[in-house]
Amino acid sequence: WAMVFSSLTIICNQKTLNYRDHSLIPECFNILTSVGNYSNARMSMPSLQLEVRYDPGCMIAFSGRIVRHGVHAVEGDQIGWAWYMRDAVHIYAGIPSCGWAR
């Protein structure tokens, strides 16, 4: 099965501090999906002054290089999929940047 993303990270029951990932392509969006049996999950995006509910089945798309983001600790079992594109993979494959985020 072909996909446009070059990387996938699976995170289980993990709090993540607010950060921006400088190894990502700024023009490309991350897709984060969360599943499980948990409650009180929140994703913060302080650079946008947002904090949103991150309930089971939720999907969020944004540029992980531009937007600082993090997920608070949850009560229960949570699995998160983070699909994204690493700049180094595109450089290696010779794929040019679209350039809109410069």
Side-chain angles (χ1 to χ4, degrees):
W1 151 43
M3 65 175 183
V4 298
F5 299 100
S6 64
S7 303
L8 166 68
T9 298
I10 298 174
I11 304 165
C12 297
N13 298 328
Q14 183 76 26
K15 172 184 173 180
T16 58
L17 301 176
N18 292 325
Y19 70 101
R20 290 183 305 162
D21 191 340
H22 294 282
S23 66
L24 303 181
I25 300 171
E27 297 89 356
C28 297
F29 278 15
N30 299 13
I31 305 290
L32 279 62
T33 306
S34 186
V35 298
N37 184 19
Y38 62 90
S39 59
N40 299 325
R42 296 272 188 234
M43 172 173 278
S44 62
M45 298 178 178
S47 53
L48 299 176
Q49 298 180 354
L50 288 176
E51 183 170 296
V52 296
R53 291 175 54 179
Y54 198 41
D55 294 333
C58 184
M59 294 182 80
I60 299 175
F62 60 93
S63 173
R65 182 165 177 171
I66 296 173
V67 178
R68 287 183 57 226
H69 60 285
V71 177
H72 301 265
V74 301
E75 300 167 11
D77 293 316
Q78 177 193 32
I79 300 172
W81 282 269
W83 299 89
Y84 50 93
M85 295 192 190
R86 292 248 182 232
D87 208 13
V89 173
H90 284 237
I91 291 168
Y92 175 80
I95 300 169
S97 170
C98 63
W100 70 263
R102 291 190 184 143

